[in-house]
Amino acid sequence: MSSKKITIALAGNPNSGKTTLFNILTGARQHVGNYPGVTVERKEGRIKHDGYDIKIIDLPGTYGLTAYSPDELVARNVLLEEELDLVVDVVDASNLERNLYLTMQLKELEIPMVLAVNMADYAEANGITINYDLLAQLIGIPVVRVVATKGEGLDDLLDLITHKEKENIPEKTVRYKIEIEEAIARIEEMLNSDLNLEIFDAVKKDSSRLEKYPSRWLAIKLLEEDKEVTEKAQSISKMAGLLDQVKKDRESIELDAGDDLENLIAEGRYAYIRGACQEAVKIVELNKASKTERIDKVLLNRITGLPIFFFVMWLLFQLTFALGNPIVEYLEDLVALAGVAASNALSPGLLNSLISDGIIGGVGGVVVFLPVILLLFLGIAILEATGYMSRAAFLMDKIMHKVGLHGKSFVPMLIGFGCTIPAIMATRTLENPKDRLVTMLVTPLMSCGAKLPVYTLLIAAFFPNHMAGNILFSIYIIGILLALIMAKVFRTWLVPGESEPFVMELPVYRMPKLKSVAIQMWERAWLYLRKAGTIILAFAIVVWALFTFPMVDSQGMNYASATEQMENSYAGRLGKTIEPVIAPIGFEWKTGVALIAGFAAKEIVVSTMATLYSMGDADSVLEGGTAEAKSFAQLTREQSGFNQLTAFVLMLFILIYVPCMATIAVIKNETNSWRWPIFTIGYTVSLAWVVCFVVYQGGMFLGIGV
């Protein structure tokens, strides 16, 4: 017997625990993609319960459905256009009044709903008692108590989703002031007339279900002057009379009330919420400060806050390198042995070189750094789960204002430590277009996870262990400083304007949920390995071919050595062409080829260096007679010709210069123009060269690291 299928959407404010609930419910049964036509991430998962196959869509976190930001618009469009059986609205029990504002907007869509009151344990510990049955009766929605991090209430929630338990809950609708209700009724009547039914077709696109677009919801959206709905209504000639009526009603109501109609509607929703909460929620004032307040007195202190933040980040990088590097070295030995085994097992020739140098050397040189990347992602995931990353944005607000942004812009920059692509997407939460553009332009200066393998390789090869963590930390700090400087430059000359006030919610501190963190680690590991097995493998083979051909000189004679072969290969010729440009910053032609390849993905810098150093080692193999297992760090020391100064300058160049192709594509999609991606390429390459020139020439002059 086949399972019954249900499709639900998880909605909720940021920091309501919605994504934690999604991870707990679906586990590893998740699929991540993008919504059609936009770069907003779409997460779907599945769970089976009581004979039902439940598909869960995790909507972007949003405070409302007014469509001010791309996240709000995407969430609303999913609710309107997807064939949903139910919406689960996840609310924070300790901030019920604020969270229920989204609930009231969801109710206006007239989709079946369940209210999941999450983090109930924290609310109860702080003197907040909720009568869930009464709350359900007052707002007209089934309500369930949930503690997602502990798995409490999940079975009750799933029972409500599958309608296992029927509850006698009356329908409730927010009623506004009489003059607003009269205007809504007039517009509803006009919408429902035969003359104006075309508005449904304009708003609902291809959907044929009129019930997905209630006339009351459309009437309210028109009165609120919702941009998307109003523009679609204006595109229909038959809607002119209705729009005239909307304008007349707006002007009349606002004149009488002395306030904007959108504010009056919002006040009506909050009045309804306050009345429900006064009846169903009891708050006992506790004499002691909450745990979160006690911790924030130290972590958000104006004197100790920033030093603690930088110490935490320094400690994270120290631990990342200290714990990850021994594993990397072990994996490097395995890859080296695999390369030697392949080389000795195969007859000398192109196939031998392709497998041992191109595939094993190139791809293996990237895969070995997975432990370091996972440790960094683990640390960031834990800091996010505890609520500390939001504090970091709050702490940086004063500094960000000095460069023309605000603390909320620091959130995408922090996300950029993991991957620049979701960091660029995270700028959607910024309502000011200028703030969003500038944040988008400077976020690539953060050290993403793809750059970490290059840092790890160079640090392991050229710096002693006691300096490793400090060197890594310095690169990340330089990225932040450069981002702040460039933000000031862009905000002053490129897109001038006043910065906006910063208001950001600070979630309560929580213990990270092991399962949720483990899921994030698995996603990162799989994405990294998939990239290694596809994009990086393809580029490793291409790079090997470019270094291998042509195999003869202009007279048809084979080159005398592997080094001579590489210098005269297609890649070598390209490297020699750009060498005059990069020589002043300490790089020779081989490094130039690796940097060009790195435009596809920064990990390819490592795979390219691994390939060319493995091939370059062929001369010593010929002299010695048999292949010798050498770690990647050892090959880099022997073949690169770098010293500590050159290695540090190369890390700086990797930090600053052009982001990967995928990031450029995302910037194009987010800005809907090629102007800003091209500008990003130009300014990052120029800035990288200037910074590296100053550091390299200054270091040479002072004799530092040479």
Side-chain angles (χ1 to χ4, degrees), residues 204 256 506 523 658:
K204 66 183 172 13
D256 291 341
L506 297 179
E523 288 177 353
V658 59

Side-chain angles (χ1 to χ4, degrees), residues 144-209:
V144 60
R145 177 190 182 276
V146 172
V147 182
T149 56
K150 298 178 181 178
E152 295 178 12
L154 299 189
D155 287 337
D156 294 336
L157 175 61
L158 291 171
D159 286 343
L160 284 174
I161 291 172
T162 55
H163 305 289
K164 184 176 180 180
E165 296 180 3
K166 301 287 185 180
E167 296 196 21
N168 184 23
I169 298 175
E171 285 292 329
K172 296 284 186 178
T173 303
V174 177
R175 293 296 171 185
Y176 303 100
K177 292 182 177 180
I178 185 64
E179 56 270 26
I180 298 177
E181 285 295 334
E182 289 173 351
I184 292 172
R186 277 191 295 272
I187 297 167
E188 274 195 275
E189 184 177 355
M190 296 181 73
L191 283 169
N192 290 326
S193 68
D194 292 337
L195 180 65
N196 291 305
L197 274 177
E198 289 186 44
I199 183 63
F200 288 111
D201 296 320
V203 178
K204 66 183 172 13
K205 297 181 180 177
D206 297 327
S207 178
S208 61
R209 295 176 59 190

Side-chain angles (χ1 to χ4, degrees), residues 332-370:
E332 278 187 325
D333 291 340
L334 291 180
V335 170
L337 290 171
V340 170
S343 180
N344 292 334
L346 297 171
S347 301
L350 288 176
L351 181 62
N352 186 315
S353 178
L354 171 63
I355 294 176
S356 60
D357 299 331
I359 296 176
I360 296 178
V363 178
V366 173
V367 172
V368 297
F369 296 105
L370 180 61

Side-chain angles (χ1 to χ4, degrees), residues 396-435:
M396 291 294 294
D397 182 51
K398 188 174 182 179
I399 296 175
M400 298 297 283
H401 267 293
K402 292 183 183 297
V403 301
L405 297 174
H406 52 67
K408 202 171 182 179
S409 293
F410 195 61
V411 175
M413 294 166 67
L414 287 173
I415 295 173
F417 284 158
C419 180
T420 309
I421 294 171
I424 297 293
M425 296 177 188
T427 62
R428 299 184 315 265
T429 60
L430 304 175
E431 295 180 3
N432 185 315
K434 292 182 178 180
D435 289 345

Side-chain angles (χ1 to χ4, degrees), residues 21-30 44-47 56 519:
L21 178 61
F22 174 76
N23 288 335
I24 296 299
L25 287 174
T26 61
R29 299 175 297 280
Q30 298 180 7
E44 290 183 6
R46 290 188 178 273
I47 186 173
I56 305 175
I519 289 171

Side-chain angles (χ1 to χ4, degrees), residues 38 58 83 94 178 215 320 348 359 381 405 451 460 470 484 492 505 533 544 549 581 583 642 704-705:
V38 294
D58 185 21
E83 297 291 330
S94 61
I178 185 64
S215 56
T320 295
I359 296 176
L405 297 174
K451 299 173 183 177
N470 293 333
L484 295 177
T492 302
E505 176 189 359
W544 170 84
F549 300 103
V581 178
F642 292 168
I704 299 173

